[in-house]
Amino acid sequence: RTFWTKPNQHIQGGHRPAFIKFQDASNHLTKYGFHVVSKNPYVQVEQPILRPDYVKKLRKTTSDKSLQRRAENNLRMMAGWSRCYQEMTSSGGSYDVCLRIRDDHGLTHPLQIDKILPSVKSRTVMSTDCQKHSGMNDRFAIMSTDAAYDYFVGPISTYYLGHLGSEVRNTETLIRHVYEKANLTIINSPMIRGLVKMQVNSNGSTVVYEDRDTVRCMVMNGE
């Protein structure tokens, strides 16, 4: 999941937006000069220990039928973020910025990195202004390196050890609560678009999941 590039390096030619196996993605990135730190996929905890008051907060936005599964998935995601930070800091690499995207998501629009980077100043985390669900989008972020610890480790630490504010009712509101407490500058940017769930089906084609909100968020300003 973790990689870095040399300065001003760009991938040329065609690309696949999704892969079936972790090794396929690793090989593809290596082919284009990326240094892949994680040689094997992170294995998620099967039965994470849930925090009862967080599960209670989820009831405000989740049906009882899917409550347990959603609560466990939320926790697995936050635990995975912490592992990303461990991989990053143990790699020995030097990072200008950090970017995270959920491993089942991709971008249908090019990331306007030259326009985005000037806004990513010290102690800043940026995501899309779409699908915030009253907090901050938890599927993608780009941040300054001095914000990485709070971004990746803060949510799981707060989940188990910290106070959850009254505004917390899902992961989006939880991470915003954490980042505000850490005094990070939070930017919900309209320049980040086309963030969608992707999957490779049995015949090798890439499937993009679309709903009304996703379609709206795939459109750039001015298009």
Side-chain angles (χ1 to χ4, degrees), residues 47-86:
Q47 294 181 315
I49 300 173
L50 300 177
R51 180 169 168 168
D53 59 336
Y54 179 74
V55 177
K56 184 178 180 180
K57 287 173 178 293
L58 278 185
R59 290 185 185 277
K60 300 175 183 178
T61 58
T62 309
S63 65
D64 288 343
K65 184 178 180 179
S66 60
L67 182 64
Q68 181 77 11
R69 179 166 56 88
R70 185 180 179 195
E72 290 179 351
N73 286 341
N74 287 174
L75 185 50
R76 290 188 186 103
M77 178 180 69
M78 290 185 285
W81 293 4
S82 178
R83 179 63 180 271
C84 284
Y85 184 79
Q86 293 174 25

Side-chain angles (χ1 to χ4, degrees), residues 57-187:
K57 287 173 178 293
L58 278 185
R59 290 185 185 277
K60 300 175 183 178
T61 58
T62 309
S63 65
D64 288 343
K65 184 178 180 179
S66 60
L67 182 64
Q68 181 77 11
R69 179 166 56 88
R70 185 180 179 195
E72 290 179 351
N73 286 341
N74 287 174
L75 185 50
R76 290 188 186 103
M77 178 180 69
M78 290 185 285
W81 293 4
S82 178
R83 179 63 180 271
C84 284
Y85 184 79
Q86 293 174 25
E87 295 268 10
M88 185 185 80
T89 53
S90 64
S91 70
S94 176
Y95 300 83
D96 297 313
V97 294
C98 299
L99 185 151
R100 172 202 160 256
I101 186 169
R102 210 170 91 171
D103 55 8
D104 61 350
H105 275 55
L107 292 162
T108 60
H109 284 74
L111 192 61
Q112 301 180 73
I113 197 71
D114 293 338
K115 294 181 179 180
I116 288 172
L117 282 184
S119 298
V120 185
K121 303 182 187 301
S122 178
R123 303 287 295 162
T124 296
V125 58
M126 176 190 289
S127 189
T128 175
D129 64 343
C130 280
Q131 298 175 316
K132 298 181 298 181
H133 303 293
S134 300
M136 181 177 186
N137 187 292
D138 63 4
R139 306 176 189 190
F140 173 94
I142 184 167
M143 72 212 73
S144 58
T145 53
D146 59 0
Y149 177 82
D150 290 311
Y151 178 85
F152 287 111
V153 183
I156 191 70
S157 297
T158 300
Y159 183 92
Y160 281 124
L161 303 174
H163 170 71
L164 300 182
S166 59
E167 72 276 17
V168 173
R169 58 181 183 179
N170 50 33
T171 52
E172 291 87 354
T173 50
L174 170 61
I175 64 174
R176 185 175 184 93
H177 167 77
V178 170
Y179 303 153
E180 287 178 342
K181 290 291 184 181
N183 294 316
L184 296 184
T185 298
I186 300 171
I187 301 175

